[in-house]
Amino acid sequence: MNTIKVHCNSCNRDTDHNIVKEHLVIYEDKKYNTDWGDRYQIISCLGCKTVSFRQDSWYSEALDEGDGDDGVASGTFYPPRNINEHERMLEYHLLPQDLKRIYCETVDALNNRLPTISAIGLRTIVEAICLEQKTKMPNKNDLEEGIYGLADKEYLSKKQADILHKCRLMGNDAAHEIVAPDTDHLDAAIEIVEILLKAIYVIPTLAERIPNRSNNNNNNNNNNNKKRNRNRNRNRKKNRNNNPIS
């Protein structure tokens, strides 16, 4: 079995892959005694069994041919490798269904280097939050008002609302002016939007899983009082039996 080491998206690390099938396209120049070509491979992770596709090229006169210093095979992959990609929030499954779909699509656009689509997706997430929280009415062009409405509901501070307003404008430029934002701006915007999603949807849901200490204390106190009362009644009954009235 022929294997190569490749980054696996599912395992999220470099793993050994079995070369399931390989096809070579070779070209030769007999005059100069050189050759070059393309290698096409179907590969399968030996850990999780995920199948993907790899293509690489070679040239007989190239000095740097071969894998990297770490032994990981290079080339073009499909699906693309997710090294240094933006990972979804661990708790994204707690989002409302429509928001979860838009959020996942936006992260996928970011990781596929689609800046214009990413910016539009970020703006759509903000608008969906405002609609879901009823700080923006449907069919009305008042997203700015909706953002500051979130601040009025204390989901975010006035300063955070100002920052979110910048994300809205970035999405507007992408949608109406066909302006692709810088990667750094997109990275900052997705972090801000994720903080908002966590504050409104994730943290309250997680908080519900934490037992209320005051209620527990009250229950414990009630149980202790009941136990003391039972013991007191038991002692009184015992005293009456030991000291019968003559």
Side-chain angles (χ1 to χ4, degrees):
M1 179 172 60
N2 293 328
T3 63
I4 55 173
K5 186 177 288 295
V6 170
H7 181 84
C8 176
N9 287 348
S10 299
C11 297
N12 199 27
R13 59 188 177 88
D14 298 336
T15 63
D16 289 329
H17 282 61
N18 175 37
I19 301 175
V20 179
K21 188 72 174 178
E22 181 176 79
H23 177 70
L24 300 177
V25 178
I26 303 173
Y27 306 94
E28 293 182 293
D29 189 330
K30 296 182 179 180
K31 179 178 179 180
Y32 295 100
N33 195 29
T34 60
D35 60 82
W36 63 96
D38 296 301
R39 180 185 294 110
Y40 302 91
Q41 297 173 330
I42 297 174
I43 57 178
S44 173
C45 176
L46 292 178
C48 66
K49 309 302 182 184
T50 297
V51 175
S52 55
F53 179 81
R54 173 180 179 252
Q55 181 269 328
D56 75 334
S57 303
W58 82 90
Y59 177 53
S60 60
E61 303 304 302
L63 298 177
D64 58 351
E65 182 179 357
D67 299 334
D69 294 338
D70 54 2
V72 178
S74 58
T76 301
F77 295 89
Y78 184 83
R81 304 299 92 170
N82 60 8
I83 303 173
N84 298 324
E85 289 190 347
H86 185 89
E87 295 186 6
R88 296 174 183 173
M89 299 186 302
L90 291 176
E91 313 87 349
Y92 79 92
H93 60 280
L94 297 176
L95 300 176
Q97 190 63 35
D98 286 341
L99 260 175
K100 179 170 64 174
R101 174 180 55 80
I102 298 168
Y103 168 73
C104 291
E105 290 177 0
T106 302
V107 172
D108 288 344
L110 277 169
N111 290 333
N112 282 284
R113 296 3 178 218
L114 303 173
T116 304
I117 302 300
S118 302
I120 296 172
L122 287 167
R123 186 196 184 282
T124 305
I125 291 174
V126 174
E127 184 162 10
I129 294 173
C130 292
L131 287 171
E132 209 271 336
Q133 295 299 319
K134 295 181 171 57
T135 62
K136 177 186 183 298
M137 299 302 293
N139 303 320
K140 286 192 176 182
N141 188 23
D142 56 357
L143 182 54
E144 181 179 4
E145 181 180 340
I147 290 173
Y148 288 108
L150 294 174
D152 292 338
K153 286 191 172 186
E154 299 183 347
Y155 287 124
L156 66 165
S157 68
K158 171 66 166 56
K159 186 174 182 179
Q160 290 171 323
D162 291 339
I163 297 172
L164 206 60
H165 177 58
K166 293 181 181 180
C167 298
R168 177 184 77 87
L169 293 177
M170 184 173 66
N172 287 349
D173 290 342
H176 304 301
E177 305 297 332
I178 322 299
V179 176
D182 293 339
T183 301
D184 290 343
H185 296 167
L186 285 171
D187 290 341
I190 188 65
E191 294 289 346
I192 293 167
V193 167
E194 286 180 339
I195 289 173
L196 181 60
L197 291 172
K198 289 180 180 180
I200 297 178
Y201 301 104
V202 176
I203 293 176
T205 302
L206 296 178
E208 292 177 358
R209 301 177 184 177
I210 301 175
N212 191 318
R213 185 175 180 181
S214 60
N215 288 341
N216 286 344
N217 288 339
N218 290 335
N219 291 334
N220 290 335
N221 290 334
N222 290 335
N223 291 334
N224 290 335
N225 289 335
K226 290 179 180 178
K227 186 175 181 180
R228 281 195 295 269
N229 289 335
R230 285 197 299 269
N231 291 336
R232 190 180 297 115
N233 292 334
R234 191 180 298 112
N235 290 334
R236 287 175 179 171
K237 184 175 181 180
K238 185 185 296 183
N239 290 335
R240 284 197 299 269
N241 292 334
N242 292 336
N243 299 291
I245 299 174
S246 57

